[in-house]
Amino acid sequence: MTKILVIRSAATGAASVSNTLIDAYLAAHPGAEVVERDLDADPVPHVTSASLAGIGRDAPEGVAFAETRALQDQLIGEVFAADVLLIGLPLYNFGMPSTLKAWFDYIARAGTTFQYTAEGPEGLVKGKRAILAQARAGKYDDAAGFPFGAAHAKSLLGFVGVTDVTVVTAEGLAFGPDAAAAAVAQAKAEIAALA
């Protein structure tokens, strides 16, 4: 049975196009075991001076970092347990939502999800597939390196070892209701068809 870790990051709830794409993928895979994490309803805390040491390679002893470390262990465990990482990626100000960036900050732990070697960094999260369900109001040429949302997410996934990444994009959502409906329908069909 395929295990899917769903990461929802849209702040628009039921109106979210990235969530709509996630739902289309899940509907096409009814037998999968699904673990969901909604970063809008239950955000991962942003890294601060009070939490930074807790998510490092060796967390210091003491109660102050225990909660941070426990959350990080849980998030990393969810990633390792999954076969597929299905990540909602709405484009906010040309990048990923800050809640999604916070999730990435927590799952990147030296010695656990990546390590440094004499040849450079090596991702330790092997054999996973990631699907980025991207939604954006405008239309962009991704080959130009702008906007940064998908490129940033793919780089972070690759850093921890997830190199099989598919991006499905619904774009032009601000170009009127007809254009938005067509873009969503096309992206839903594309994501549902992924094996």
Side-chain angles (χ1 to χ4, degrees):
M1 177 185 305
T2 302
K3 296 179 181 180
I4 303 171
L5 173 60
V6 174
I7 305 296
R8 297 180 189 266
S9 64
T12 51
S16 162
V17 172
S18 64
N19 284 341
T20 297
L21 299 182
I22 287 170
D23 293 339
Y25 183 86
L26 294 176
H29 298 82
E33 180 182 322
V34 178
V35 172
E36 291 210 28
R37 185 160 290 278
D38 186 334
L39 300 177
D40 179 54
D42 187 17
V44 173
H46 289 92
V47 175
T48 65
S49 59
S51 64
L52 182 60
I55 64 171
R57 178 189 299 263
D58 298 315
E61 295 293 328
V63 176
F65 300 107
E67 187 174 320
T68 299
R69 189 59 165 211
L71 174 59
Q72 187 190 39
D73 287 343
Q74 181 181 359
L75 297 174
I76 289 172
E78 291 170 356
V79 169
F80 275 116
D83 300 307
V84 176
L85 309 177
L86 179 58
I87 301 172
L89 182 64
L91 188 67
Y92 292 169
N93 296 316
F94 310 113
M96 71 176 67
S98 65
T99 53
L100 183 56
K101 174 58 168 63
W103 179 80
F104 275 113
D105 288 341
Y106 272 67
I107 67 157
R109 183 198 289 162
T112 304
T113 58
F114 72 93
Q115 65 184 355
Y116 292 109
T117 71
E119 292 78 37
E122 175 191 5
L124 302 175
V125 182
K126 307 284 190 185
K128 312 290 180 193
R129 178 180 193 191
I131 300 167
L132 301 177
Q134 180 175 228
R136 51 197 193 189
K139 291 185 177 182
Y140 304 94
D141 177 6
D142 291 310
F146 178 84
F148 315 111
H152 192 188
K154 287 174 74 174
S155 294
L156 291 167
L157 288 164
F159 186 75
V160 298
V162 182
T163 56
D164 181 0
V165 181
T166 302
V167 181
V168 177
T169 303
E171 66 177 350
L173 302 175
F175 287 44
D178 292 342
V184 171
Q186 179 179 345
K188 283 174 66 176
E190 185 181 338
I191 202 167
L194 295 176

